[in-house]
Amino acid sequence: MAIITISRELAALGDEIAHELAELTGYRFIDKQALENRITSYGFNNEKLEKYDEKKPAFWASLSKDRDDYIHYLKSALLAEAELGPCIFVGRGANAVFKDIPGCIFIRLVAPLAVRIERVKSYFRCDEKRAKQIIEQSDKDRSAFHRYFFDIDWANPVHYHLVLNTGFVHPASAAEEIRHLVSLMVTPDTEAQLKTRLQSLSLGQKVIHHILYTLAIPIHFLEASCTGDTVVLRGVANSQSAVEAAVAGAQQVPGVSHVQSEIQVVQEYSVMP
């Protein structure tokens, strides 16, 4: 079992290679539509999704609660799909969400600008000037998305196990290279570690959801770190009663037996006239 994430430039054949890889390995390819369907099933509608999907939100959207909802539901969707078994994700910050987890393989696909322009011209039936504009906007959006939501440099190769130039490598060959890398990197030990980490991350996400969305307890910057059935809560609250409610809420989540709070209380104050 492994989780493969593919980060790609526009017109670097990300979906094509993911399909080839799925055929070769038997892994599920979680495409854009499947992931969006899961996110919208949580109640986050398509109109809101369009504001944030692989782009930095505009000024007013960045101040909206929808921004926090989007990243919460995106993580929830990625983790839910990963828990179902070996799979392949393309884009959507999956490499950042699964960062440092054993058994997760991070791939980046690039291609020469001239090759990308020709591919975009063919796909969008446009001239070279327009194709270049589309590519530049896509690169800008994807870079800003990763910087804004995950604070990482999307183009930096150090974030990936393998970078492939699809201007020279056929999708079938690229898929074979990735499959070979997975066979070298994934062992029974890393599979066991992956399963454990996914269970912990998923439980933490469920705790956050229950506290913030089901119970609507006002804890800012809430994080839930899980080890086995023990959860450590971190964040900021404006009252001790909110902290106590969050702890009680976490204990209601199936799979949680022990809760430790490191939530800081910062009381609100008003300026005297």
Side-chain angles (χ1 to χ4, degrees):
M1 173 182 176
I3 304 299
I4 302 171
T5 76
I6 297 176
S7 176
R8 77 289 185 228
E9 295 177 331
L10 180 68
L13 307 182
D15 282 4
E16 291 86 344
I17 290 171
H19 280 294
E20 292 277 357
L21 189 58
E23 288 283 334
L24 198 60
T25 61
Y27 284 24
R28 292 175 304 120
F29 170 30
I30 314 302
D31 62 12
K32 176 182 178 181
Q33 191 59 56
L35 199 60
E36 287 184 352
N37 288 345
R38 184 174 281 277
I39 292 172
T40 55
S41 74
Y42 298 142
F44 196 85
N45 66 46
N46 282 310
E47 183 179 344
K48 294 179 182 179
L49 193 60
E50 178 60 28
K51 296 179 183 178
Y52 304 99
D53 185 46
E54 291 201 307
K55 61 175 72 74
K56 179 182 177 180
F59 177 74
W60 291 113
S62 71
L63 300 179
S64 169
K65 181 179 178 296
D66 290 343
R67 174 204 59 186
D68 297 330
D69 292 348
Y70 167 74
I71 197 65
H72 170 75
Y73 288 129
L74 174 63
K75 290 179 178 178
S76 296
L78 289 168
L79 288 167
E81 293 291 352
E83 278 202 293
L84 293 177
C87 56
I88 303 162
F89 295 107
V90 174
R92 274 81 210 170
N95 60 306
V97 172
F98 296 108
K99 181 182 177 183
D100 298 328
I101 299 178
C104 293
I105 312 299
F106 308 126
I107 309 297
R108 178 163 171 78
L109 305 178
V110 300
L113 179 59
V115 173
R116 297 171 69 198
I117 287 174
E118 289 305 312
R119 289 172 178 168
V120 170
K121 282 170 60 179
S122 175
Y123 184 82
F124 289 101
R125 299 183 183 277
C126 61
D127 61 20
E128 182 168 330
K129 180 179 179 181
R130 179 56 183 152
K132 190 173 182 181
Q133 290 174 340
I134 292 171
I135 289 169
E136 288 174 349
Q137 187 61 53
S138 175
D139 287 350
K140 180 180 178 182
D141 285 342
R142 290 176 182 179
S143 178
F145 171 80
H146 285 79
R147 181 69 71 186
Y148 179 80
F149 283 109
F150 303 108
D151 194 27
I152 66 170
D153 180 358
W154 169 68
N156 193 331
V158 303
H159 298 305
Y160 307 95
H161 295 109
L162 179 67
V163 179
L164 290 170
N165 185 337
T166 67
F168 305 100
V169 180
H170 187 274
S173 299
E176 180 56 44
E177 289 290 334
I178 297 169
R179 186 206 63 77
H180 181 62
L181 178 65
V182 172
S183 70
L184 293 175
M185 293 186 62
V186 178
T187 65
D189 184 52
T190 58
E191 287 182 335
Q193 292 179 56
L194 172 58
K195 183 178 180 180
T196 299
R197 288 287 288 130
L198 286 177
Q199 289 173 341
S200 295
L201 289 170
S202 181
L203 181 59
Q205 199 68 13
K206 290 172 183 175
V207 168
I208 291 171
H209 183 86
H210 189 63
I211 292 172
L212 296 184
Y213 293 87
T214 303
L215 302 178
I217 300 169
I219 307 294
H220 304 287
F221 317 114
L222 180 62
E223 297 178 359
S225 302
C226 300
T227 303
D229 59 1
T230 297
V231 177
V232 179
L233 301 178
R234 298 182 179 88
V236 177
N238 60 20
S239 69
Q240 185 59 37
S241 62
V243 175
E244 293 170 359
V247 170
Q251 291 173 331
Q252 296 171 0
V253 177
V256 175
S257 297
H258 308 284
V259 180
Q260 300 174 16
S261 174
E262 295 182 9
I263 299 173
Q264 297 181 352
V265 176
V266 179
Q267 294 183 342
E268 296 178 343
Y269 64 94
S270 59
V271 178
M272 296 293 292

